[in-house]
Amino acid sequence: MEYIIKNGTVYDPTNKVDGEKMDICVKDGRIVESVSNNATVLDANNKIVMPGGVDSHSHIAGAKVNTGRTLRPEDSKKDIWNREGLRKGSGFSVPSTYKTGYQYSGMGYTTVIEAAMPPLIARHTHEEFIDLPQIDKAAMPLFGNNWMVLEYLKAGDLNMCAAYVAWLLKATRGFAIKIVNPGGTEAWGWGKNVHGLDDEIPYFGITPRDIVRGLAQVNEMLGLPHSIHVHPNNLGHPGNWETTLETMECVKDIKAKPKFGKRDTVYYNTHLQFHSYGGTSWKDCVSKGVEMAEYVNKNDHLMVDIGQITLDETTTMTADGPMEYDLHMTNGLKWANCDVELETGSGVVPFIYSPKGPVYSLQWAIGLDLFLHANSDKVILTTDHPNAGPFIRYPRVIAWLISEEYRKDWIENRVHKWAAQKSHITDTDREYTMYEIAKITRANTSKVLGLSDDRGHLGLGARADIAIYDIDPEEKNGKKIEKAFLEASYAFKDGEIVVKDGNVVKEVFGNTIYVDAKINEELEAELMKDLTVRFKKYYSVNIENYPVQEAYANQWEPINIDATEIK
Amino acid sequence: MKEVIFTVNAEIDVPVELDSLLPKNLQDMGIEEIKKIQLPQGNKKISVDELCDVVVNENDDGDATLKVIINGSSMKLKRIGEKMDGGEIIVNGDAGMYVGAEMKSGKITVNGNAECWVGQNLKGGEIVINGNAKDYVGSAYRGDWRGMNGGKITINGNVGTEIGEYMKKGLIVINGNCKIMPGVHQNGGIIMLNGEVEGRAGGEMLKGAIVINGPLKSKLPSFEYEGIVEDPLIKLTKKDEGTQIKGAYYKYIGDFVNNKPKGQLYLSVEHNDPVY
Ligand SMILES: [Zn+2]
């Protein structure tokens, strides 16, 4: 099928296209120079054209997402999806699989990364991916509290740690190294937590700093497409901004050496909003968003996503089990904690971020402080779906960023006065341009994930993942902006129209991307000797039954890496 | 006033959902339009005239209320009066699950028995069941911790388990007997139980009151005895003017499985042993 998208106003930061009127040609799933006369013509005059959205941090499938669905039938009832010709679905903050795919697609998103996969339950994650249409996806296995990792790092054996990481990525068909509350979730198994970067982890005797540094080194030894993806210690606690800065700073000397992709960063800090709290308690808590943004702007070794609070009722879920327990103690609502053998743990708690709440309004402002003071090359739009809010609120976040007037309306009429009092949100009149929106939702994400070779941009040869929105680039009406980005005029996935006027018109099943890093045979043999013993001794499954088989995807998209030089 | 009378004439196997036949929805509809309304039945739809005969009576007595009467109703008719906001529904026969669920105002009378979930998450208005009702009368939707928030439910017969779960406001009166766990997780409002109660009244309750005028067969040990009270005035909040009840009661506070509970449990002295 051939298409020519005519006269759209194009935003493609990867190729430095900033609002140029141009035609985009599509053939056989790719962007091409020209098409034949048989091409279907799509008039995009007065519309904007962007690459398909790429989300680098969202929770859309697997163990804790499913626990969230089970824990919250009332969330299911809140939003019923029932559209002719499509699979039915439900759930507002934790939507069912098909609904998740349809809604991302409706917003013009084409690639989404599940940000936390307990390795032991990888199969479940991939099973849900099979039923998640419209988008390409990948999952990041959790490494920051994994016994094997902790022991290899304790022994100072980075080579064995690298071999294990490579094996686990392949076995679970995982994509990158995710670290959540390094050491803290393991400590939670002992009824404890760690707070500072140099607190000792019970039994293992190493510290969060050792884990973050060790895994960052391993990541670059292997040359993985993405850097380490970190949720630092102390999430959600006033005063945590110092821990966050220390964590960012501790890998500054490590150099990026990806063997695939174009990233130049060695560290990715997710949902930075939750890690930018000043003060000592919620009474004297203030935004450190500006300070954090300044650090991010000044340093080349890192990228961040925000985790913007959307002021909704949602469901929090994270592999940071102790943090979820704290949350449950704060709001008194129901909770679940899951213990995933020797690999990780997690927790789930419903949460109501009321705009009338002083703390929630401040959290909202902290996210915006980060956005409004950071260099748009360094930040990424997320809500840590569903933790800070559901992904269907991205369009609203975009509206807050594009329109100062809309932001002001929220500050003056909708949120608690703490938002303005304890942050710097009113100090700036900055408004994001469409070009910058394209950066924080496409160009930055695809680059930092190592996937910018063929996605997140509209250059020749790129996948024809395209979003067209019916909006004037100068529009400042918040409601109009929100509607335009919620209901894409058109979305293309791999060269086919999958969305028209916000409605899914074609169901497609995307690829599952994973990293296959080849390691030295002798090193692998040594690793397997170690692992066999461990699986016999500690695991509830046999090592042979652990790896995710070929059948667990609609279509695999492996990223092959040669790391055989590690010995 | 306008009166719409539905008389069920079809034999149905799969339950039909009647939540679109609300008085307000039918206000401006003619009979032909009403007959064509599509009602969900399992994964299909059935039109009103396939299910029942319809009669519309209208007169100019200046009364603006719209009355819906359902004759020949059975447990197969679900969601009668769900989300109702004004007007009146009279059910002659039994009512299926979710009668009056999430209702805001108006009145529903069932001259028969009712299935589970009568007045689930009721917000206002009144529901009267003249027969029995099953479990979860006035309870919260599964998983929700924000239950019934106002209005009044009266069951003249017996009820099942877990009535008034997570109730926040309003009144539930049961004139027959009640199975286990009335007022579980109760967080406000009053439950009056006039028959025999099987047990575990007020399990995990935090606020609100349960008045038991018959015997409670087994009381939870996590309630603290406060003493005998005569004709108590039940106050649920500082501003509450109070609800006067008559008689002598053993008064307890609970449920102490929670921190600082304020739930009040009154057991009639006449029907209960003094167990402290
Ligand atoms: Zn996350």
Side-chain angles (χ1 to χ4, degrees), chain A residues 175-176 216-228 254-267 300-301 446-453 515 517 559-563 565:
Chain A
F175 176 72
Q217 283 166 303
V218 161
N219 198 85
E220 303 313 325
M221 283 161 69
L222 290 167
L224 301 179
H226 186 34
S227 66
I228 52 167
I254 299 168
K255 292 276 159 294
K257 290 183 204 136
K259 291 176 178 161
F260 186 95
K262 298 189 178 70
R263 73 172 159 92
D264 39 27
T265 50
V266 294
Y267 179 91
D300 295 331
H301 72 286
S446 56
K447 183 181 175 192
V448 78
L449 290 167
L451 298 175
S452 58
D453 183 29
V515 169
I559 291 173
N560 294 302
I561 281 176
D562 183 355
E565 76 279 6

Side-chain angles (χ1 to χ4, degrees), chain B residues 45-64:
Chain B
K45 295 221 161 140
I46 183 172
S47 65
V48 163
D49 69 343
E50 285 174 277
L51 181 73
C52 35
D53 294 327
V54 185
V55 175
V56 177
N57 297 325
E58 246 174 303
N59 60 32
D60 276 340
D61 60 0
D63 186 352

Side-chain angles (χ1 to χ4, degrees), chain A residues 8-11 21 44-50 395 398-399 402-403 434 437 467-490:
Chain A
T9 307
V10 178
Y11 295 93
K21 273 230 171 203
N45 199 21
N46 296 326
K47 293 185 175 154
I48 67 172
V49 179
M50 289 187 184
I398 291 174
I402 286 183
S403 168
M434 284 297 169
I437 295 296
I468 305 177
Y469 301 108
D470 189 2
I471 187 170
D472 181 329
E474 301 301 320
E475 181 62 65
K476 295 294 170 201
N477 179 308
K479 292 238 164 70
K480 281 190 185 158
I481 298 167
E482 191 176 339
K483 187 172 188 309
F485 281 98
L486 191 64
E487 298 171 9
S489 256
Y490 288 95

Side-chain angles (χ1 to χ4, degrees), chain A residues 57-59 64 114-116 178 180 229 231 270-271 305 317-318 384-387:
Chain A
H57 190 111
S58 183
H59 301 283
K64 65 190 185 310
E114 159 59 54
K178 175 73 183 295
V180 172
H229 191 111
H231 152 152
T270 187
H271 38 69
D305 78 54
M317 47 180 64
T318 166
D384 188 18
H385 164 83
N387 284 300

Side-chain angles (χ1 to χ4, degrees), chain A residues 82-391:
Chain A
N82 185 357
R83 299 203 185 164
E84 211 58 54
L86 299 176
R87 284 278 292 256
K88 313 284 182 271
S90 65
F92 172 71
S93 65
V94 266
S96 49
T97 52
Y98 278 83
K99 184 172 183 278
T100 301
Y102 296 149
Q103 289 189 306
Y104 257 117
S105 193
M107 300 188 329
Y109 272 73
T110 48
T111 304
V112 181
I113 311 299
E114 159 59 54
M117 171 166 74
L120 188 68
I121 311 173
R123 229 175 251 163
H124 181 163
T125 309
H126 289 294
E127 276 168 346
E128 289 194 11
F129 276 176
I130 291 176
D131 282 342
L132 219 158
Q134 311 308 91
I135 50 174
D136 292 339
K137 46 246 158 184
M140 300 193 271
L142 294 148
F143 285 96
N145 291 280
N146 180 306
W147 280 23
M148 274 62 75
V149 168
L150 299 183
E151 290 200 339
Y152 290 136
L153 292 181
K154 183 182 182 180
D157 196 342
L158 286 185
N159 290 9
M160 277 295 269
C161 189
Y164 174 71
V165 168
W167 176 81
L168 194 82
L169 285 174
K170 195 172 169 178
T172 63
R173 309 270 184 157
F175 176 72
I177 298 177
K178 175 73 183 295
I179 302 170
V180 172
N181 187 5
T185 307
E186 170 53 28
W188 177 235
W190 304 77
K192 295 178 179 150
N193 197 353
V194 292
H195 297 285
L197 197 61
D198 296 307
D199 285 6
E200 214 178 85
I201 298 151
Y203 176 74
F204 292 96
I206 58 171
T207 63
R209 181 190 299 274
D210 297 329
I211 298 173
V212 174
R213 269 194 72 80
L215 285 171
Q217 283 166 303
V218 161
N219 198 85
E220 303 313 325
M221 283 161 69
L222 290 167
L224 301 179
H226 186 34
S227 66
I228 52 167
H229 191 111
V230 186
H231 152 152
N233 305 109
N234 248 338
L235 181 143
H237 296 137
N240 66 7
W241 73 296
E242 287 175 349
T243 312
T244 315
L245 279 177
E246 272 182 90
T247 312
M248 290 171 160
E249 190 70 13
C250 89
V251 291
K252 206 175 169 181
D253 59 317
I254 299 168
K255 292 276 159 294
K257 290 183 204 136
K259 291 176 178 161
F260 186 95
K262 298 189 178 70
R263 73 172 159 92
D264 39 27
T265 50
V266 294
Y267 179 91
Y268 178 107
N269 199 118
T270 187
H271 38 69
L272 187 56
Q273 175 275 129
F274 285 119
H275 304 275
S276 304
Y277 302 162
T280 55
S281 72
W282 285 116
K283 272 195 187 123
D284 66 1
C285 182
V286 290
S287 168
K288 287 289 173 186
V290 174
E291 287 84 345
M292 299 305 282
E294 278 167 2
Y295 180 88
V296 172
N297 293 346
K298 270 204 315 257
N299 286 281
D300 295 331
H301 72 286
L302 81 164
M303 285 278 281
V304 301
D305 78 54
I306 303 300
Q308 176 63 39
I309 299 285
T310 64
L311 300 171
D312 282 290
E313 176 178 324
T314 191
T315 311
T316 63
M317 47 180 64
T318 166
D320 194 341
M323 198 284 304
E324 287 289 345
Y325 177 73
D326 288 350
L327 262 194
H328 153 74
M329 293 305 282
T330 328
N331 72 6
L333 299 183
K334 55 192 171 177
W335 65 300
N337 257 198
C338 316
D339 161 45
V340 193
E341 299 192 7
L342 37 158
E343 297 180 340
T344 178
S346 69
V348 182
V349 177
F351 211 83
I352 305 167
Y353 293 100
S354 162
K356 292 191 193 94
V359 171
Y360 313 134
S361 300
L362 171 59
Q363 288 178 299
W364 173 79
I366 293 172
L368 291 175
D369 262 356
L370 287 165
F371 270 121
L372 296 172
H373 291 89
N375 176 342
S376 58
D377 289 328
K378 307 291 294 282
V379 294
I380 284 164
L381 191 164
T382 64
T383 60
D384 188 18
H385 164 83
N387 284 300
F391 67 81

Side-chain angles (χ1 to χ4, degrees), chain B residues 239-266:
Chain B
K239 283 183 191 159
D240 186 6
E241 285 174 12
T243 303
Q244 183 70 59
I245 50 172
K246 290 272 169 204
Y249 293 91
Y250 299 113
K251 186 185 177 188
Y252 301 84
I253 295 295
D255 180 347
F256 276 90
V257 297
N258 290 319
N259 262 339
K260 299 180 190 156
K262 289 192 209 119
Q264 307 169 39
L265 176 64
Y266 298 88

Side-chain angles (χ1 to χ4, degrees), chain B residues 130-142:
Chain B
N130 282 317
N132 303 323
K134 289 197 181 162
D135 308 327
Y136 315 118
V137 171
S139 290
Y141 183 77
R142 274 275 184 260

